[in-house]
Amino acid sequence: MSNAIVSIENLVKRYGENLAVDHFSLHVEDGEILGLLGPNGSGKTTTINCLLSLLQYDKGDIQIFGKPMRPDAYDIKSKIGVVMQNVAVIETLNVYENVDFFCGLYIRDKATRKQYVEEALEFTGLSDYKKYKPKKLSGGLLRRLNIACGIAHKPKLVLFDEPTVAVDPQSRNAILEGIRKMNREGATIIYTSHYMEEVEELCSRIVIMDHGKNVANGTSSELKNSLKNRETIRITLPNQSDDILRALKEINHVYEARFENDDVVIRCDGGEHNLVHILSYLSDSHIPFGRVITEQPTLNDVFLEITGKELRD
Ligand SMILES: Nc1ncnc2c1ncn2[C@@H]1O[C@H](COP(=O)(O)OP(=O)(O)O)[C@@H](O)[C@H]1O
Ligand SMILES: [Mg+2]
């Protein structure tokens, strides 16, 4: 706990009857890129807003940099960068002026600020757009401006709330690479997303959130190794019958077999030659089949096993 940058204990937040955050705990160590992964409505933004003291909460204990976080904890706030889910920039200012404005809330010295603003623009790939007003920017560039405004003052802790939603692939890659670079330069990151591939690619540790609860926590491989499911096999099957499902389930290590559209989807809990056994059964029984795909577990499978539902939209 000595290096905890963020510590949330038993956070509870209700909106009327709706329990948005349900005894949620989270600890983030110095230097981590912590991924907060959960479907829409699982409570990620509410948690971030409570963490920042932007929202009052019903219960819980929140510390940042080892000190209690409160609405008036300006010393803590000055070392935090926030990139909100909804883009918040000033329409009347151009790109450079926007970043300069937000940076100016923290950095008084003009020369230092100029350097920081230039670096933030460089960092987000916006150097060629300094004179553009936000209205003239594409969705991806606008997102990058939102990020530049949030990080220009070189915060020690940066919170990103779904920064890549509806962003083109080029901007997305620029954003992810920027976050990695920021982390290499010493910033601790909390990154919320409902895109599991992104969280898996970027984050050193992942917390999975569902219905306001912390339902799993670990590195991507720890989470996947904790699964019963070790291999999923999909086979296109033109003729489908319950007899086939029954026979498949009798094969060693097969614990689930079901039809999904034109495919039979078979889940195995280990074993080395599942595919061989399954295909032998099909050809021995003269059951015609088409395309065969075998998949290793994903974070979606982790989510599915814990919550019984898909993480995908
Ligand atoms: N301002 C609000 N008033 C009432 N309910 C809200 C408000 N903001 C969020 N909620 C509800 O709280 C739950 C969590 O929402 P949110 O924190 O936005 O989730 P996420 O960021 O994971 O998509 C959802 O059920 C949502 O409908
Ligand atoms: Mg959200």
Side-chain angles (χ1 to χ4, degrees):
M1 288 282 285
S2 54
N3 284 329
I5 295 286
V6 168
S7 158
I8 300 177
E9 289 287 352
N10 276 317
L11 179 67
V12 177
K13 170 65 189 173
R14 286 191 181 80
Y15 295 108
E17 293 288 284
N18 184 358
L19 185 54
V21 179
D22 184 2
H23 296 86
F24 180 85
S25 296
L26 177 74
H27 299 273
V28 185
E29 303 282 311
D30 195 4
E32 281 193 296
I33 305 185
L34 187 281
L36 191 53
L37 175 69
N40 287 325
S42 56
K44 304 182 295 295
T45 298
T46 303
T47 301
I48 297 289
N49 288 342
C50 293
L51 176 63
L52 290 169
S53 282
L54 296 173
L55 257 183
Q56 289 192 346
Y57 41 93
D58 298 273
K59 206 177 118 181
D61 182 43
I62 296 180
Q63 300 209 346
I64 304 183
F65 307 127
K67 294 182 197 153
M69 180 58 179
R70 282 192 299 262
D72 63 352
Y74 299 112
D75 55 330
I76 297 178
K77 287 184 177 181
S78 67
K79 289 184 272 179
I80 300 179
V82 184
V83 179
M84 289 293 193
Q85 184 165 2
N86 298 318
V87 173
V89 297
I90 300 164
E91 293 294 334
T92 51
L93 301 182
N94 67 29
V95 164
Y96 185 96
E97 292 162 344
N98 258 291
V99 182
D100 185 60
F101 172 80
F102 285 101
C103 190
L105 301 176
Y106 307 90
I107 310 291
R108 291 279 174 91
D109 181 69
K110 263 193 177 166
T112 309
R113 190 161 81 233
K114 185 166 190 305
Q115 183 202 328
Y116 280 20
V117 172
E118 294 285 356
E119 281 180 25
L121 292 172
E122 179 75 23
F123 199 67
T124 44
L126 286 171
S127 299
D128 293 342
Y129 301 91
K130 284 180 197 169
K131 293 267 182 332
Y132 282 55
K133 292 275 172 67
K135 248 196 220 85
K136 297 270 184 224
L137 298 176
S138 69
L141 290 174
L142 195 59
R143 281 265 168 188
R144 279 146 76 172
L145 174 59
N146 199 39
I147 292 172
C149 291
I151 56 111
H153 61 293
K154 296 194 187 293
K156 190 82 192 71
L157 168 66
V158 194
L159 311 176
F160 289 93
D161 195 1
E162 308 234 24
T164 60
V165 171
V167 157
D168 59 281
Q170 194 195 349
S171 285
R172 178 188 165 277
N173 290 339
I175 292 169
L176 296 185
E177 195 39 57
I179 293 172
R180 275 189 208 100
K181 184 155 173 260
M182 224 181 289
N183 177 250
R184 281 198 297 273
E185 288 172 4
T188 300
I189 313 280
I190 298 181
Y191 184 93
T192 90
S193 179
H194 64 280
Y195 298 132
M196 55 187 174
E197 291 85 358
E198 210 164 69
V199 166
E200 186 160 13
E201 185 185 324
L202 180 71
C203 300
S204 50
R205 194 160 59 85
I206 300 165
V207 165
I208 301 183
M209 195 165 191
D210 189 41
H211 292 301
K213 289 197 180 75
N214 179 332
V215 294
N217 168 17
T219 64
S220 150
S221 39
E222 281 167 359
L223 290 170
K224 289 191 265 183
N225 287 338
S226 72
L227 282 178
K228 179 177 174 188
N229 176 268
R230 307 313 286 265
E231 184 176 13
T232 300
I233 296 167
R234 288 173 185 273
I235 304 173
T236 304
L237 220 55
N239 308 322
Q240 305 188 346
S241 77
D242 287 345
D243 287 344
I244 296 178
L245 294 185
R246 257 192 298 278
L248 285 170
K249 282 185 205 157
E250 273 169 25
I251 295 172
N252 206 8
H253 292 297
V254 171
Y255 70 92
E256 188 187 298
R258 58 192 172 93
F259 294 119
E260 280 182 19
N261 303 322
D262 297 335
D263 296 340
V264 62
V265 178
I266 303 153
R267 296 188 199 274
C268 309
D269 61 8
E272 292 194 338
H273 303 292
N274 299 315
L275 186 59
V276 174
H277 297 143
I278 290 164
L279 294 183
S280 311
Y281 156 71
L282 292 176
S283 57
D284 291 352
S285 314
H286 307 288
I287 299 168
F289 60 89
R291 193 176 62 153
V292 177
I293 299 172
T294 158
E295 298 164 340
Q296 302 309 305
T298 64
L299 290 177
N300 187 55
D301 297 304
V302 176
F303 191 77
L304 184 67
E305 196 163 297
I306 296 170
T307 68
K309 58 181 198 256
E310 304 264 338
L311 181 58
R312 296 191 176 98
D313 281 333

